[in-house]
Amino acid sequence: MKRGWMRRGLLGLLLLGTALIWAGCRPSTEKTLEEGEIDMAIQVTSTAFSEASTIPKKHTCDGQDVSPQLSWSGVPEGTKSLVLIMDDPDAPVGTFVHWVLYDLPPDVKELPEGVQGVGVQGVNDFRRTGYNGPCPPRGPAHRYYFKVYALDTTLGLKAGARKADVEKAMQGHILAWGQLMGKYGR
């Protein structure tokens, strides 16, 4: 009698374990940027610098600290708003945010140098609103990523949101994205 109960119990545990493993391994229906499942279909360019080249001093804390000209193409149909985030993953304290701009209209294809008055400006890690360019400590050049996201919604966040707030609101709404990386060192 005990053997039959034990066999059924072990069989039940085996089936339950298999079901839990299968459920955890099923592909998610929600695409996430971190897992690389969202198309990097947007091409981001600048007249100030090209991919992996040096960002001109003019766009840094060593110069006028004005945002560079940026343009993009490949925004998919159905886009309701765009987000721009610029950050430095090489900062000694971890990823350092230089610019957060959200709720850009989907028909905007370019930001002129020193842009103001387009979209909603967030707070960067300098604790300022708007753009603050590269300003690394002395040493090797850092990489700066200008990332553009196409969303199927507008975020509706108040001005001054932080990158984490914007990224949380973007979850499940990213249609496509692209980036331009430039370098700067002192």
Side-chain angles (χ1 to χ4, degrees):
M1 187 87 130
K2 279 188 178 180
R3 282 175 124 183
W5 177 82
M6 284 176 55
R7 281 187 198 152
R8 283 190 298 254
L10 287 174
L11 182 61
L13 284 174
L14 181 61
L15 290 173
L16 177 62
T18 302
L20 289 173
I21 290 170
W22 181 81
C25 292
R26 282 186 299 163
S28 171
T29 56
E30 182 177 314
K31 293 183 175 184
T32 61
L33 184 62
E34 293 78 24
E35 296 169 6
E37 296 175 359
I38 297 174
D39 291 338
M40 193 168 139
I42 298 174
Q43 296 79 44
V44 184
T45 59
S46 176
T47 56
F49 64 97
S50 58
E51 178 67 24
S53 69
T54 301
I55 297 170
K57 188 176 181 178
K58 176 180 189 176
H59 306 293
T60 75
C61 69
D62 295 323
Q64 295 170 295
D65 208 11
V66 295
S67 62
Q69 179 277 345
L70 295 169
S71 57
W72 50 86
S73 61
V75 173
E77 283 191 40
T79 298
K80 300 279 194 280
S81 71
L82 300 167
V83 170
L84 172 77
I85 296 174
M86 177 202 171
D87 55 27
D88 167 10
D90 301 322
V93 296
T95 301
F96 194 87
V97 180
H98 287 263
W99 197 10
V100 179
L101 183 60
Y102 49 97
D103 285 347
L104 284 160
D107 59 343
V108 171
K109 306 285 188 236
E110 178 180 8
L111 296 177
E113 180 179 277
V115 69
Q116 293 182 7
V118 178
V120 181
Q121 297 279 356
V123 172
N124 59 37
D125 284 345
F126 291 101
R127 296 189 179 133
R128 298 182 194 138
T129 301
Y131 176 87
N132 282 110
C135 197
R138 303 255 178 251
H142 287 211
R143 297 168 297 154
Y144 297 88
Y145 290 89
F146 294 81
K147 296 173 269 190
V148 176
Y149 302 92
L151 308 180
D152 66 3
T153 188
T154 54
L155 299 180
L157 298 171
K158 292 181 181 180
R162 302 190 65 78
K163 175 185 171 183
D165 301 321
V166 172
E167 288 182 331
K168 183 177 179 182
M170 288 181 357
Q171 292 241 328
H173 296 286
I174 301 171
L175 299 173
W177 73 290
Q179 68 184 18
L180 173 66
M181 186 272 290
K183 296 178 181 180
Y184 187 74
R186 298 160 113 183

